[in-house]
Amino acid sequence: MPLRSSSLGDLERVVMEILWSEGPDLSVRDVIDHLARREHDKELAYTTVMTVLDRLAKKGVADRTRDGRAWRYSAAASREELAATALRSALDTVQADRTAAMLHFLDDASPGELDDLRAALAEVERRRA
């Protein structure tokens, strides 16, 4: 399923981190247990976590498979793929000059980030050759 949304809330991001680091095929209870081991001050209700996972599946960032009466969840894409989707989505919504938008973005880039961008562009060129 293609990623449909890269806009994630705070709890959605935490749950995705769990799916990436502890998955695949986690039940709602598994996710709750991993949340409890992390820095959360309060225990979240089962239905809250189930709703978050359902929302992530509807957004296309999590996959789910039936396991009896329950669901098991996995990340639908890597962190990097989700980040790429967010970047692409941001560029696709620019109504003005895309080049100008990218230049504004790059004006704030650190030297290390620019080096990363150069390396990524070189890799894309190598793959296309």
Side-chain angles (χ1 to χ4, degrees), residues 11-89:
L11 184 53
E12 289 174 325
R13 278 193 294 278
V14 171
V15 169
M16 283 305 300
E17 283 298 326
I18 289 169
L19 293 180
W20 283 316
S21 64
E22 307 297 336
D25 298 323
L26 299 177
S27 68
V28 174
R29 177 60 50 206
D30 294 334
V31 173
I32 290 170
D33 290 346
H34 287 292
L35 283 168
R37 289 186 205 117
R38 292 184 182 220
E39 305 164 13
H40 281 273
D41 297 333
K42 60 180 180 173
E43 186 174 324
L44 295 170
Y46 184 94
T47 54
T48 300
V49 176
M50 183 176 62
T51 299
V52 169
L53 286 162
D54 181 62
R55 202 174 318 140
L56 290 169
K58 287 179 179 171
K59 288 182 175 185
V61 296
D63 290 329
R64 65 181 177 185
T65 55
R66 233 349 147 178
D67 183 15
R69 292 178 48 212
W71 292 101
R72 293 210 164 262
Y73 294 86
S74 301
S78 69
R79 291 173 180 90
E80 295 79 12
E81 289 168 318
L82 187 60
T85 298
L87 292 170
R88 175 64 55 207
S89 177

